Amino acid sequence: MNHLDALPPWAAVMVGVLVLLGSGFAFVGSLGLLRLKDFYKRVHAPTLGTTFGAFFMLAGSIICFSVAHGRPIFYEILIGVFLTLTTPITLMLLVRAALYRNRVEEAQEPPRRTTLE
Amino acid sequence: MRRWLPHPLMAGFLLLAWLLLRQSLAPATVASGVVIALGLAWAFGKLRPPRARVRHYSLLGKLLLRVLRDIVRSNLAVAWIVLRRRGRFTSGFVAIPLELTDHYGLAALACIITSTPGTIWVDHDSARNVLLIHVLDLVDEASWIDTIKQRYERPLLEIFQ
């Protein structure tokens, strides 16, 4: 049942590189979430995972299953489409909640500019 | 036409998604896809969405390519900011007065701004039509206002409004 053994070496290398690249970008995004200092900066980082991270992993998946089954399989594109359409909603909710908290609880606008290190 | 197919774009998108999911163009798949797409587009109409008008499909393609290029560039830029240990950078908010009022145009702008790492859509004041974004690596506010307005808002205005 494992088609992956049947993958020719060139495809296996390509898929491996793509998946590594994708997870690399997702990892850098998560690292940014950990490393950056305040909320508004932190929410930027995970978008690496939803753009480049997802793109490379989906490309790897498309190549892997297209080669393994011997016909083009590309419904992963839909994952990309839905990810792009839904990410702004979550992100906006989070950021607006933070903004609301800044404005109401602390009765102040968030600092307009902050310089780091 | 309008009577039987009140939301052609929605129905088209649903049919395309269905065919992609099924990975086949067999008559039975297409037929069931058409039935599902029409049914869901009809249900979508019951939500009374504002009407979408899309013009200049070629411009839409050009905008898509431009956004893809920006996504690549800003991915690398943000990855670099996260990875380098030292170095100063300034983050901040930029308020951008918009001309775009179309709901779908604004939704597209929201997708563009959040899909490019380094900028996020924070708040949109619909009364004053001012958009507030947060920029991770903010050098010059005026140039950001100019970028968003010229690169994204202008084509969106032509496409949706």
Side-chain angles (χ1 to χ4, degrees), chain A residues 25 28-29 31-33 35-36 38-45 47-53 71-78 81-82 84-89 91-92 95-96 99 102-103 109-117, chain B residues 13 16-18 20-23 71-76 78-95 107 110-112 114-124 132 134-136 138-141:
Chain A
F25 272 98
V28 172
L31 196 67
L33 189 67
R35 206 181 255 182
L36 296 173
D38 69 61
F39 178 81
Y40 294 105
K41 289 189 189 70
R42 285 179 148 174
V43 284
H44 285 284
T47 49
L48 285 182
T50 63
T51 50
F52 253 29
R71 65 191 170 90
I73 291 178
F74 43 83
Y75 44 60
E76 286 88 344
I77 292 174
L78 278 177
V81 170
F82 287 124
T84 311
L85 288 181
T86 51
T87 309
I89 300 169
L91 210 57
M92 256 187 237
V95 175
R96 290 189 64 166
L99 193 68
N102 273 134
R103 281 178 178 163
E109 288 287 303
R112 283 191 67 79
R113 267 168 171 257
T114 45
T115 303
L116 216 76
E117 286 168 71
Chain B
F13 172 73
L16 198 68
W18 175 259
L20 263 175
L21 269 177
R22 307 291 303 172
Q23 295 275 305
I71 289 177
V72 172
R73 223 169 21 198
S74 52
N75 257 287
L76 298 175
V78 171
W80 174 239
I81 287 180
V82 171
L83 284 177
R84 67 177 179 190
R85 281 226 159 254
R86 324 210 150 274
R88 298 169 67 86
F89 68 96
T90 305
S91 307
F93 295 87
V94 181
C111 284
I112 292 173
T114 40
S115 306
T116 44
T119 49
I120 40 172
W121 174 293
V122 176
D123 200 17
H124 176 248
L132 190 66
H134 185 266
V135 181
L136 185 61
L138 181 64
V139 181
D140 176 24
E141 281 178 46

Side-chain angles (χ1 to χ4, degrees), chain B residues 42 96 100 113 116 134 160:
Chain B
W42 173 82
I96 302 168
L100 187 69
I113 288 178
T116 44
H134 185 266
F160 286 103

Side-chain angles (χ1 to χ4, degrees), chain A residues 60-81:
Chain A
S61 169
I62 287 174
I63 291 175
C64 175
F65 290 104
S66 296
V67 172
H69 291 272
R71 65 191 170 90
I73 291 178
F74 43 83
Y75 44 60
E76 286 88 344
I77 292 174
L78 278 177
I79 299 179
V81 170

